[in-house]
Amino acid sequence: MISNTLLIKILNNIAITIKENKEYLTHLDSVIGDSDHGFNMNKGFNEVRQKLEPLQNKDCGTILKNVAMTLISKVGGASGPLYGTAFLKASVVIKDKYEISEKDSIKMFDESIKGIISRGKAKQGDKTMLDALIPAYQIYKDSINKGNSIEIAISQAQKAAYEGVEYTKTIKATKGRASYLGDRSIGHQDPGATSSYLILKSISDTLNNINK
């Protein structure tokens, strides 16, 4: 179970992780994209962080809906609408709930990915964030269905997401600005897949540190 209080802590730590990796993400994007992924993500999650305090006593759905609307309005490029849609879809699953169950978390993950696919018109193998998120979701779902806790499942999922990031180095981009490079995009990791991995890792690290 993840309470609304813990959810606030997770989101705060995601914002810190994105800030710490702003230059790294921007560097990755400078090679095959617009050179602004880290800057835009940090701008959005910094805004999110500033809005968390008044949301302390709100239900989990309201918290994530606020995150979604902030990212959509503050993050430029494709990242804002894509991440905003993901959080918005997840918020609907837990509307009016003050705790997120293991079953809820699978549905949230699934709906987030469906939202990204619908918004971005991409699929696994296009060298996008989906190459990190889809294998992570599959591992996560299987782990929860085997009876593992959210903490264990997300730890396994973030490792699968990292492998997905590594996979993006081996394939050609077929979506977004990186697709303009064609075969020259091979050998470079996707910045969106990388930020997705960092978000999952931040969630995992937060849960592990709480239970130490």
Side-chain angles (χ1 to χ4, degrees), residues 17-48:
T17 297
I18 293 297
K19 182 178 181 180
E20 291 174 344
N21 288 277
K22 178 180 71 173
E23 300 298 333
Y24 173 54
L25 292 171
T26 296
H27 169 69
L28 294 176
D29 199 33
S30 70
V31 180
I32 60 172
D34 296 331
S35 306
D36 59 3
H37 186 59
F39 173 80
N40 284 335
M41 289 290 286
N42 182 58
K43 180 182 177 183
F45 275 98
N46 185 50
E47 290 284 340
V48 166

Side-chain angles (χ1 to χ4, degrees), residues 45-56:
F45 275 98
N46 185 50
E47 290 284 340
V48 166
R49 196 177 182 192
Q50 293 179 33
K51 293 182 177 180
L52 292 179
E53 181 65 31
L55 296 172
Q56 291 283 345

